[in-house]
Amino acid sequence: MHSETLAIHAGHAIDPHTGAVMMPLVLSTTFARNEDNQLISQFAYSRSDNPNRKALEERLAALENAQVAIAFSSGLAAAMAILHSLAPGDHLIISPNTYFGVRLQLENLYQRWGLQYTLADLTNLEQIKAAVQPNTRLIWVETPSNPLCKITDIEQVAALAHSIGAICVCDNTWAPLIQKPLDLGADLVMYSTTKYIGGHSDLLGGVVIARTSNEFVERISLFQKIGGAVPSPFECWLALRSLATLPQRMQAHCHHAMLIAEFFSNHPAVEKVHYPGLPSHPEHALAKRQMSAFGGMLSIELKGGKPAALQTLARLKLFTRATSLGGVESLVEHRATVEGTYANFSDALLRISVGLENPLDLIEDFAQALEGLA
Ligand SMILES: *Cc1c(COP(=O)(O)O)cnc(C)c1O
């Protein structure tokens, strides 16, 4: 079946007790046994599994044409479960353009724990090859990258990982449905479901998805069940509800972002536009090959540097000045403020999460904010 159908039907059944069309929210932490001391259902205790989480996992797996989805309480909890499934002494390769929270984990938690890593530009195969060590077990890909929208060739990196006996993980948070990392050879795909999958800026969550189980995937599953960083039934319920409209929302996010990117690329106050859908983007051809649309995230650099960026921010009326992405409302942020010393990009940069408002209104808002800045 197609994504639009799976997004509504996978993991879903009419409630047999009440006939409820939408799945009931099950808040019970514990599940009863019968007179023979047998569990009445497949559930025993809510941390191990519960109906709302199970439904969400089934739907997320189906959308990735996979058998295994393991839901966590946040994207970073999902990332941590993957990193923890390596062993002390293992080495991984990761881009300096990776979401800075993952870099914070490596630096502040896993270095002490004995995990080694090398930062390499994953848009450059020679740099990745040069970073390989005898103990390299994992290559961590995030594409499009944050906030510069750099594109990594998933197929190429996954092939390289496999040739050295390592696995390839793809953080697909920015590109659900429009990019299928498992089809391109990645072993694991992970999401912060807080972003597009939740889609309304009102839930935190994460997930790791694998086509089939194996020893490594089993360990990640153990980190969910006995590590305990699990999402609440209500957050699973919200995410399941949100998934139903993900295909249409992604389509609109991508369409609006393309229009806004085109507006920026013709604006005299804008020095650079980072959006993989523009032919001027250095990896546009690759993005066209491995994505079915170019996403709802873009960033711009202002000709007038940081002062112009901050002035533009201050003048925007419709865009909310806030971090995060993937919600129905458009957001804008001065990313260098958020990342501090981790920022490895210009302080003239504004990162934009394009929402579902009418794109003409969004363009008009930027037009008035940029006025006179050229
Ligand atoms: C937000 C984000 C994360 C972290 O997810 P949380 O749900 O905030 O823990 C990881 N990767 C990317 C690309 C993100 O945008």
Side-chain angles (χ1 to χ4, degrees):
M1 277 187 279
H2 297 88
S3 299
E4 296 81 357
T5 312
L6 292 171
I8 294 169
H9 291 281
H12 177 71
I14 304 294
D15 181 49
H17 306 295
T18 61
V21 171
M22 298 317 283
M23 188 173 191
L25 175 58
V26 180
L27 293 173
S28 186
T29 51
T30 187
F31 297 84
R33 293 171 181 272
N34 65 15
E35 300 83 342
D36 303 324
N37 204 31
Q38 300 300 308
L39 284 166
I40 292 173
S41 73
Q42 59 192 294
F43 304 106
Y45 185 66
S46 196
R47 171 168 30 74
S48 309
D49 204 0
N50 67 66
N52 296 104
R53 192 170 91 205
K54 190 173 173 56
L56 173 64
E57 290 174 338
E58 278 180 26
R59 187 167 295 179
L60 285 165
L63 286 169
E64 224 68 47
N65 190 20
Q67 283 167 15
V68 187
I70 307 163
F72 289 91
S73 55
S74 71
L76 281 184
M80 210 163 154
I82 296 171
L83 295 175
H84 238 80
S85 298
L86 293 164
D90 285 352
H91 173 262
L92 67 126
I93 299 171
I94 188 161
S95 164
N97 295 305
T98 307
Y99 177 72
F100 81 120
V102 178
R103 283 184 290 146
L104 283 174
Q105 288 186 342
L106 286 169
E107 219 171 279
N108 296 298
L109 305 176
Y110 286 102
Q111 210 149 288
R112 288 169 53 107
W113 189 69
L115 211 54
Q116 300 161 19
Y117 63 96
T118 303
L119 298 174
D121 177 359
L122 297 189
T123 63
N124 182 330
L125 192 63
E126 293 316 307
Q127 267 207 35
I128 312 173
K129 282 184 181 160
V132 170
Q133 311 274 325
N135 54 343
T136 303
R137 296 283 172 265
L138 188 150
I139 303 181
W140 187 285
V141 173
E142 180 187 320
T143 181
S145 76
N146 186 359
L148 292 173
C149 295
K150 291 186 177 219
I151 306 293
T152 294
D153 189 331
I154 299 171
E155 200 166 6
Q156 198 178 59
V157 174
L160 173 67
H162 297 157
S163 75
I164 57 165
I167 63 168
C168 174
V169 175
C170 186
D171 181 342
N172 207 37
T173 299
W174 282 28
L177 299 181
I178 59 174
Q179 176 171 272
K180 298 286 175 75
L182 298 179
D183 290 347
L184 296 165
D187 302 277
L188 298 176
V189 49
M190 89 59 28
Y191 289 98
S192 163
T193 56
T194 312
K195 314 295 170 56
Y196 286 106
I197 290 174
H200 298 72
S201 307
D202 57 7
L203 70 92
L204 272 178
V207 67
V208 179
I209 301 171
R211 198 138 270 171
T212 55
S213 196
N214 57 37
E215 212 186 313
F216 195 84
V217 173
E218 273 302 311
R219 274 205 294 279
I220 295 171
S221 179
L222 268 186
F223 276 108
Q224 178 202 47
K225 291 181 185 359
I226 61 177
V230 292
S232 71
F234 183 47
E235 274 167 316
C236 295
W237 186 94
L238 281 173
L240 187 78
R241 189 275 314 263
S242 297
L243 273 173
T245 56
L246 181 65
Q248 290 77 12
R249 286 188 286 111
M250 281 314 290
Q251 233 174 36
H253 283 296
C254 296
H255 175 58
H256 297 181
M258 188 74 210
L259 294 174
I260 292 171
E262 281 166 354
F263 161 78
F264 284 136
S265 51
N266 293 315
H267 199 287
V270 177
E271 173 88 42
K272 279 188 198 155
V273 188
H274 302 285
Y275 186 64
L278 292 175
S280 58
H281 186 284
E283 292 105 32
H284 175 64
L286 167 61
K288 229 170 138 171
R289 238 186 7 257
Q290 80 178 8
M291 304 174 83
S292 60
F294 302 106
M297 293 298 296
L298 63 123
S299 57
I300 55 171
E301 289 174 39
L302 278 295
K303 271 192 193 142
K306 185 179 176 183
L310 293 180
Q311 190 176 345
T312 306
L313 261 191
R315 286 180 179 173
L316 285 164
K317 296 187 172 110
L318 198 49
F319 284 79
T320 301
R321 289 172 290 273
T323 194
S324 200
L325 60 117
V328 293
E329 70 295 319
S330 291
L331 301 179
V332 62
E333 69 174 342
H334 183 245
R335 191 70 194 163
T337 304
V338 177
E339 298 200 18
T341 55
Y342 283 84
N344 51 9
F345 45 82
S346 163
D347 63 3
L349 181 138
L350 294 178
R351 191 185 83 171
I352 300 160
S353 171
V354 181
L356 302 183
E357 302 93 339
N358 188 302
L360 297 176
D361 294 332
L362 296 175
I363 288 171
E364 199 174 299
D365 195 24
F366 256 104
Q368 66 80 23
L370 291 169
E371 214 171 285
L373 278 182

